[in-house]
């Protein structure tokens, strides 16, 4: 959405989390991350306000609340036309949800994640996510199971919000290869899109792009100038590092920040879609609160060899612990790595016809991406 709005001539802000390689990625305007001088200056300003809050008896802010304040101040200074705002974790009580009104609220794919905060069922999590819906606004719902849709619709109706469903019948894949996918959009009420190329692999990305186009239809109908060419150019120029990203060929090296059951399931399906029954060499690292044991049934059977990595986080599962966990359930060879930098020498020795995949925590994926670009690109 951000890239398409930029192609449409709007000065567009983007707020995302977490970052992959550089903290500045979280706060962008027209695809350019916040510069370090502005980041330092606004952070100092926010700290001054926090000091005043402390004097007035308020509690400390969380790290994410502070980052959100920095982002909003930067977007204000930049006088942006429109902001694409990703919530941090939930929705209802998320720091980003202090915004008073929105053009459209988008409820993306929901699965069991952050269950200690958001609820134990997808219905409970959907209720929290639906907290971003504003009075008399518009809501787009990603294609998902009926229980989730029912909860979101109920919350939207309470707010008198217009509900827009996505329908996979409105999109048809034309072709796919390792450079991306080409598809047609079949609902021509607003946009007439016969052939669009995206740089992403995986059928789930067609669900994502369908949700994007439905959202843009609403924004266009609200008076914004968005053309078919803007959509085609925006999607063609859009890249999403760390999401089933083929970073290197010979050997093929894939980076995927799938860090919950939903993401890992999509990863395994995308491997099968593009490589059939070929086995992969897997580098795997996860955080303790992401139920790492739950996803092993998808990953390990498709792997001929497994290396475990400790992500750079206090919440990480140690590589040795992870190797033991895998050994408990599977017979594949598992080698725990002491340092992420060890992957460089391993990859140098891997045959050029292999498929290598780094999967798991974005804390690991970002560090690996920086390392591999330095040594192999």
């Amino acid at each position: 959405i951000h890239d398409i709005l930029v192609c449409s001539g709007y000065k567009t802000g983007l707020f995302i989390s977490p970052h992959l390689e550089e903290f500045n990625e979280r706060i962008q305007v027209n695809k350019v991350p916040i510069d370090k001088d502005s980041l330092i200056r606004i952070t100092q300003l926010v700290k001054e306000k926090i000091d005043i809050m402390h004097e007035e008896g308020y509690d400390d802010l969380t790290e994410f609340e502070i980052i959100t304040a920095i982002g909003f101040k930067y977007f204000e200074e930049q006088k942006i036309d429109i902001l694409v705002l990703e919530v941090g974790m939930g929705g209802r009580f998320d720091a980003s949800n202090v915004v008073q009104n929105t053009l459209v609220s988008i409820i993306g794919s929901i699965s069991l994640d952050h269950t200690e905060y958001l609820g134990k069922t997808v219905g409970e999590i959907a209720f929290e996510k639906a907290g971003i819906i504003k009075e008399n606004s518009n809501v787009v719902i990603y294609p998902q199971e009926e229980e989730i849709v029912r909860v979101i619709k109920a919350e939207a109706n309470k707010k008198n919000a217009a509900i827009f469903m996505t329908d996979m019948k409105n999109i048809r894949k034309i072709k796919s290869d390792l450079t991306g996918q080409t598809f047609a959009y079949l609902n021509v009420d607003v946009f007439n899109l016969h052939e669009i190329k995206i740089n992403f692999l995986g059928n789930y990305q067609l669900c994502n792009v369908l949700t994007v186009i439905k959202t843009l239809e609403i924004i266009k109908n609200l008076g914004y100038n968005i053309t078919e060419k803007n959509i085609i150019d925006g999607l063609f120029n859009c890249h999403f590092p760390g999401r089933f990203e083929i970073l290197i060929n010979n050997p093929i090296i894939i980076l995927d920040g799938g860090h919950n059951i939903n993401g890992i399931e999509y990863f395994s399906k995308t491997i099968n879609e593009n490589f059939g029954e070929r086995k992969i060499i897997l580098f795997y690292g996860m955080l303790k609160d992401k139920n790492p044991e739950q996803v092993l049934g998808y990953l390990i059977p498709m792997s001929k060899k497994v290396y475990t990595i400790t992500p750079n986080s206090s919440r990480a599962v140690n590589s040795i612990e992870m190797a033991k966990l895998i050994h408990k359930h599977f017979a594949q060879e598992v080698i725990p790595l002491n340092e992420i930098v060890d992957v460089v020498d391993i990859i140098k020795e891997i045959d050029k016809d292999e498929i290598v995949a780094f999967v798991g925590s974005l804390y690991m994926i970002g560090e690996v991406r920086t390392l591999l670009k330095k040594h192999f690109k």
Side-chain angles (χ1 to χ4, degrees):
I1 293 172
H2 172 239
D3 281 23
I4 292 165
L5 289 172
V6 171
C7 280
S8 303
Y10 293 102
K11 191 173 186 180
T12 310
L14 177 67
F15 185 80
I16 57 173
S17 61
H19 60 278
L20 194 62
E21 295 181 86
E22 296 284 343
F23 178 88
N24 310 53
E25 297 166 18
R26 293 172 179 246
I27 302 166
Q28 301 182 33
V29 173
N30 281 16
K31 303 178 72 170
V32 179
I34 182 174
D35 62 280
K36 291 184 179 180
D37 288 343
S38 295
L39 179 59
I40 292 166
R41 175 178 52 79
I42 297 175
T43 302
Q44 288 171 334
L45 175 63
V46 170
K47 183 183 183 304
E48 291 169 11
K49 302 301 181 184
I50 293 171
D51 291 340
I52 295 171
M53 290 175 62
H54 286 162
E55 291 171 6
E56 295 177 353
Y58 289 97
D59 293 334
D60 279 336
L61 272 66
T62 65
E63 178 185 357
F64 185 73
E65 286 169 336
I66 293 168
I67 296 167
T68 304
I70 294 167
F72 283 2
K73 181 61 180 171
Y74 182 68
F75 296 135
E76 179 198 40
E77 290 182 355
Q78 291 290 307
K79 296 181 170 57
I80 61 172
D81 299 316
I82 192 167
L83 172 61
V84 180
L85 176 65
E86 182 190 30
V87 303
M89 181 171 60
R92 189 161 65 108
F93 294 123
D94 195 86
S96 63
N97 202 30
V98 297
V99 293
Q100 295 299 303
N101 55 69
T102 54
L103 295 175
V104 56
S105 300
I106 306 162
I107 312 293
S109 175
I110 290 176
S111 62
L112 292 175
D113 200 4
H114 301 292
T115 53
E116 67 273 37
Y117 301 106
L118 302 182
K120 302 297 183 185
T121 68
V122 289
E124 290 175 348
I125 294 172
F127 171 75
E128 295 296 333
K129 302 282 188 181
I132 66 171
I133 300 171
K134 304 295 183 288
E135 293 282 348
N136 303 309
S137 63
N138 302 290
V139 184
V140 173
I141 304 176
Y142 178 98
Q144 47 202 331
E145 60 185 86
E146 186 53 42
E147 180 188 357
I148 293 170
V149 173
R150 178 180 53 78
V151 171
I152 296 169
K153 282 184 174 180
E155 293 307 303
N157 289 330
K158 290 177 187 176
K159 304 277 183 68
N160 194 35
I163 301 164
F164 295 86
M165 299 299 299
T166 47
D167 187 345
M168 288 305 293
K169 293 176 183 175
N170 290 335
I171 202 163
R172 176 174 58 84
K173 183 158 70 171
I174 298 171
K175 61 182 178 181
S176 175
D177 58 35
L178 293 185
T179 68
Q181 302 179 83
T182 303
F183 68 93
Y185 183 65
L186 307 177
N187 181 18
V188 296
D189 291 345
V190 180
F191 297 119
N192 195 3
L193 300 162
H194 297 294
E195 191 168 314
I196 314 172
K197 170 73 182 293
I198 55 174
N199 299 301
F200 311 117
L201 297 174
N203 285 331
Y204 70 96
Q205 291 288 8
L206 296 179
C207 295
N208 289 338
V209 81
L210 178 66
T211 306
V212 164
I213 296 173
K214 177 61 70 175
T215 302
L216 293 167
E217 287 180 344
I218 296 167
I219 297 173
K220 183 177 177 66
N221 286 334
L222 290 170
Y224 286 80
N225 183 25
I226 302 166
T227 67
E228 283 93 350
K229 186 176 188 304
N230 297 150
I231 295 173
I232 292 166
D233 291 347
L235 289 175
F236 185 75
N237 293 319
C238 184
H239 297 272
F240 205 163
R243 271 68 171 190
F244 209 94
E245 176 188 15
I246 298 180
L247 186 70
I248 296 167
N249 287 285
N250 303 316
I252 291 172
I253 298 181
I254 301 164
L255 305 180
D256 192 87
H259 55 271
N260 56 34
I261 187 70
N262 196 232
I264 296 297
E265 183 180 0
Y266 286 151
F267 167 81
S268 61
K269 286 180 178 178
T270 307
I271 285 286
N272 289 331
E273 287 165 18
N274 291 279
F275 301 105
E277 299 299 316
R278 289 180 64 187
K279 297 279 187 179
I280 66 172
I281 297 173
L282 175 68
F283 291 79
Y284 181 60
M286 289 281 270
L287 305 185
K288 294 173 183 174
D289 55 4
K290 297 297 182 181
N291 300 316
E293 192 168 8
Q294 187 183 36
V295 304
L296 295 177
Y298 285 102
L299 288 175
I300 306 305
M302 63 168 43
S303 306
K304 62 167 69 172
K305 191 172 185 178
V306 182
Y307 295 90
T308 56
I309 295 173
T310 307
N312 185 18
S313 169
S314 58
R315 296 182 287 137
V317 179
N318 181 275
S319 63
I320 296 174
E321 294 174 39
M322 183 64 76
K324 290 177 181 176
L325 191 63
I326 294 170
H327 269 306
K328 191 167 80 172
H329 298 284
F330 301 97
Q332 279 90 335
E333 183 182 2
V334 183
I335 302 170
L337 302 183
N338 293 322
E339 304 284 345
I340 285 184
V341 72
D342 295 343
V343 305
V344 173
D345 290 335
I346 295 169
I347 288 173
K348 286 177 179 176
E349 298 300 319
I350 288 175
D351 290 342
K352 298 301 182 184
D353 60 349
E354 296 284 8
I355 302 167
V356 179
F358 290 84
V359 181
S361 169
L362 287 169
Y363 292 94
M364 175 191 75
I365 297 297
E367 195 170 349
V368 167
R369 191 174 192 274
T370 302
L371 190 66
L372 295 183
K373 286 195 303 180
K374 178 182 176 182
H375 288 274
F376 295 100
K377 294 200 83 174

